[in-house]
């Protein structure tokens, strides 16, 4: 039975992990958090910068943004087999480096600034990191990235402000998955 791959993207704090895990559990798909995958890594890799622990799928550390830099090629290699099988919900705050053919639907979650601000603050973000993420949402950076990387017809923005939004999104995506399975099997 063929199953679709779902990309969930958006600014940090919009609710990707919350939606992604619940969706995977309800739909019987597997959930992959790209940030966690990179952190856990696979195997030993030569020539890593000293700041990276062996095995992590990083190629450096961004001092300005205070976060590791993903080794995108290795992340793709790592995921290729699973993605070609289908049935994966992928969660990441970026989307322009994945192969376009991987995804059957791309969901961009959106959150109002004041709510996002509170969520990121309670995650411990302050100063430039907090401001940059709020700006990222204001400028709809991830939505622009998604529509320039995938066919417009498969990219959908979903509001992610309240628990009611979460439930509505889950219902809609479940319906979409059921229809996809009917059409493709
Ligand atoms: P992301 O994976 O995009 O960084 P998370 O799923 O970790 O975001 O969610 C960030 C915070 O926002 C968490 O505290 C989560 O409980 C909360 N949250 C997520 N989705 C919603 C929603 N639809 N309504 C209210 N709070 C939410």
């Amino acid at each position: 039975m063929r199953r679709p791959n779902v990309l969930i993207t958006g600014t940090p704090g919009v609710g990707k992990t919350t939606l992604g895990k619940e969706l995977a559990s309800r739909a019987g798909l597997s959930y992959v958090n790209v940030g966690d995958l990179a952190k856990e890594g696979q195997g030993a890799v030569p020539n890593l910068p000293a700041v990276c622990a062996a095995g992590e799928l990083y190629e450096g550390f961004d001092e300005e943004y205070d976060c590791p830099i993903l080794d995108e090629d290795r992340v793709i290699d790592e995921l290729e087999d699973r993605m070609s099988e289908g049935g994966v919900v992928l969660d990441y705050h970026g989307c322009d480096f994945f192969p376009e053919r991987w995804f059957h639907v791309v969901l961009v979650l959106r959150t109002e600034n004041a709510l996002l601000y509170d969520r990121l603050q309670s995650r411990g973000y302050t100063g430039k990191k907090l401001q940059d993420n709020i700006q990222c949402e204001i400028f709809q950076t991830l939505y622009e990235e998604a529509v320039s990387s995938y066919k417009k017809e498969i990219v959908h923005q979903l509001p992610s402000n309240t628990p009611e939004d979460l439930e509505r999104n889950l219902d809609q995506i479940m319906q979409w998955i059921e229809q996809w399975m009917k059409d493709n099997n």
Side-chain angles (χ1 to χ4, degrees):
M1 172 101 92
R2 290 190 67 215
R3 293 176 308 161
N5 289 327
V6 179
L7 174 61
I8 303 182
T9 190
T11 308
V14 292
K16 300 180 294 297
T17 304
T18 308
L19 176 72
K21 284 186 172 165
E22 186 58 28
L23 176 67
S25 137
R26 290 194 195 182
L29 305 179
S30 56
Y31 167 81
V32 175
N33 184 308
V34 173
D36 290 349
L37 176 94
K39 202 171 178 182
E40 288 153 17
Q42 294 289 327
V45 182
N47 307 323
L48 273 178
V51 72
C52 303
E56 289 177 343
L57 305 174
Y58 298 147
E59 58 177 18
F61 193 84
D62 189 323
E63 300 290 347
E64 191 186 353
Y65 291 98
D66 185 30
C67 65
I69 302 165
L70 221 55
D71 185 333
E72 299 174 347
D73 291 342
R74 284 176 54 226
V75 167
I76 289 168
D77 285 349
E78 188 57 41
L79 285 169
E80 182 62 57
D81 287 352
R82 260 193 279 182
M83 299 307 292
S84 352
E85 266 178 41
V88 177
V89 177
L90 201 79
D91 165 352
Y92 195 57
H93 58 261
C95 63
D96 60 355
F97 65 94
F98 302 120
E100 193 183 346
R101 63 187 153 78
W102 274 5
F103 300 105
H104 303 99
V105 69
V106 175
L107 308 172
V108 185
L109 302 190
R110 302 300 308 272
T111 300
E112 286 163 20
N113 298 326
L115 294 172
L116 186 63
Y117 194 94
D118 290 345
R119 290 185 200 170
L120 291 175
Q121 241 186 355
S122 54
R123 193 181 267 187
Y125 285 23
T126 54
K128 179 170 166 54
K129 191 164 181 169
L130 180 59
Q131 294 306 333
D132 284 345
N133 279 292
I134 296 296
Q135 268 201 11
C136 173
E137 187 60 11
I138 292 173
F139 293 145
Q140 46 184 33
T141 309
L142 266 304
Y143 177 66
E144 302 287 343
E145 188 173 319
V147 292
S148 65
S149 308
Y150 301 90
K151 288 202 190 80
K152 272 209 178 66
E153 308 88 81
I154 74 159
V155 178
H156 304 276
Q157 296 197 81
L158 298 174
S160 183
N161 299 305
T162 62
E164 292 72 30
D165 287 342
L166 174 65
E167 273 311 314
R168 197 176 321 112
N169 293 338
L170 283 163
D171 286 346
Q172 279 187 15
I173 309 161
M174 288 298 289
Q175 278 184 27
W176 178 88
I177 291 175
E178 271 175 37
Q179 190 58 48
W180 191 95
M181 305 266 277
K182 277 187 198 148
D183 295 343
N184 289 273
N185 287 289

Coordinates of all heavy atoms in Angstrom, one line a residue, residues 10-19 91 119 123 160-163 165-166, ligand 1:
G10 N 7.8 25.6 8.9 CA 7.3 26.9 9.5 C 8.4 27.3 10.5 O 9.3 26.6 10.8
T11 N 8.3 28.6 10.9 CA 9.2 29.2 11.9 C 9.3 28.3 13.2 O 8.2 27.7 13.5 CB 8.6 30.6 12.3 OG1 8.4 31.3 11.1 CG2 9.6 31.4 13.1
P12 N 10.4 28.3 13.8 CA 10.4 27.6 15.1 C 9.3 28.1 16.1 O 9.1 29.3 16.1 CB 11.8 27.9 15.7 CG 12.7 28.1 14.5 CD 11.7 28.7 13.4
G13 N 8.7 27.2 16.7 CA 7.6 27.5 17.7 C 6.2 27.5 17.2 O 5.3 27.7 17.9
V14 N 6.0 27.4 15.9 CA 4.6 27.4 15.3 C 3.8 26.2 15.6 O 2.6 26.2 15.4 CB 4.6 27.7 13.8 CG1 5.1 29.1 13.5 CG2 5.4 26.7 13.0
G15 N 4.5 25.1 16.0 CA 3.7 23.9 16.4 C 3.9 22.7 15.5 O 3.1 21.8 15.4
K16 N 5.1 22.7 14.8 CA 5.3 21.6 13.8 C 5.4 20.2 14.5 O 4.9 19.2 14.1 CB 6.7 21.8 13.1 CG 6.7 23.1 12.3 CD 8.0 23.3 11.6 CE 9.2 23.5 12.5 NZ 9.1 24.8 13.3
T17 N 6.2 20.2 15.6 CA 6.4 18.9 16.3 C 5.1 18.4 16.9 O 4.7 17.2 16.8 CB 7.4 19.1 17.4 OG1 8.6 19.6 16.8 CG2 7.7 17.8 18.1
T18 N 4.3 19.3 17.5 CA 3.0 19.0 18.1 C 2.1 18.4 17.1 O 1.5 17.3 17.3 CB 2.3 20.2 18.7 OG1 3.3 20.9 19.6 CG2 1.1 19.9 19.5
L19 N 1.9 19.0 15.9 CA 1.1 18.5 14.9 C 1.7 17.3 14.2 O 0.9 16.3 14.0 CB 0.9 19.6 13.8 CG 0.1 19.2 12.6 CD1 -1.4 19.0 12.9 CD2 0.2 20.2 11.4
D91 N 9.5 16.9 9.8 CA 9.3 18.2 10.5 C 10.6 18.9 10.5 O 11.6 18.4 11.0 CB 8.9 17.8 12.0 CG 9.1 18.9 13.0 OD1 9.6 20.0 12.7 OD2 8.6 18.7 14.1
R119 N 5.6 31.8 23.1 CA 6.0 30.5 23.0 C 7.6 30.4 22.9 O 8.2 29.6 23.6 CB 5.5 29.8 21.7 CG 4.0 29.5 21.8 CD 3.6 28.7 20.5 NE 2.2 28.8 20.3 CZ 1.6 28.4 19.2 NH1 2.3 27.9 18.2 NH2 0.3 28.5 19.0
R123 N 10.4 29.1 25.7 CA 11.5 28.1 25.3 C 12.9 28.6 25.7 O 13.8 27.9 25.4 CB 11.3 27.9 23.8 CG 12.1 26.8 23.2 CD 11.9 26.7 21.7 NE 10.7 25.8 21.4 CZ 10.5 25.5 20.1 NH1 11.2 25.9 19.1 NH2 9.4 24.7 19.9
S160 N -2.0 28.1 13.2 CA -1.6 27.3 14.3 C -1.5 28.1 15.6 O -0.4 28.2 16.2 CB -0.2 26.6 14.0 OG 0.2 25.7 15.0
N161 N -2.7 28.7 16.0 CA -2.7 29.6 17.1 C -3.3 29.0 18.4 O -2.8 29.3 19.5 CB -3.5 30.8 16.8 CG -2.9 31.6 15.6 OD1 -1.8 32.0 15.6 ND2 -3.7 31.8 14.5
T162 N -4.3 28.1 18.2 CA -5.0 27.6 19.3 C -5.2 26.0 19.2 O -5.0 25.5 18.2 CB -6.5 28.2 19.3 OG1 -7.1 27.7 18.1 CG2 -6.5 29.7 19.3
P163 N -5.5 25.4 20.3 CA -5.8 24.0 20.3 C -6.9 23.6 19.3 O -6.9 22.6 18.7 CB -6.3 23.6 21.7 CG -5.6 24.7 22.5 CD -5.6 25.9 21.7
D165 N -7.3 25.1 16.4 CA -6.6 25.1 15.1 C -6.0 23.8 14.9 O -6.1 23.2 13.8 CB -5.5 26.2 15.0 CG -6.1 27.6 14.9 OD1 -7.3 27.7 14.5 OD2 -5.3 28.5 15.1
L166 N -5.3 23.3 15.9 CA -4.6 22.0 15.9 C -5.6 20.9 15.5 O -5.3 20.1 14.6 CB -4.0 21.7 17.2 CG -3.3 20.3 17.4 CD1 -2.1 20.2 16.4 CD2 -2.8 20.1 18.8
Ligands
LIG1 P1 7.8 23.7 16.6 O1 8.0 22.2 16.4 O2 7.3 24.3 15.4 O3 9.1 24.4 17.1 P2 6.2 22.9 18.9 O4 5.3 21.9 18.4 O5 7.4 22.5 19.7 O6 6.7 23.9 17.7 O7 5.3 24.0 19.7 C1 5.8 25.1 20.4 C2 4.8 25.4 21.6 O8 3.6 25.8 21.1 C3 4.6 24.2 22.5 O9 4.5 24.6 23.8 C4 3.2 23.7 22.0 O10 2.5 23.1 23.1 C5 2.6 25.0 21.6 N1 1.6 24.8 20.5 C6 1.8 24.1 19.4 N2 0.7 24.1 18.6 C7 -0.2 24.8 19.3 C8 -1.6 25.2 19.0 N3 -2.2 24.9 17.8 N4 -2.2 26.0 19.9 C9 -1.6 26.3 21.0 N5 -0.4 26.0 21.4 C10 0.3 25.3 20.5

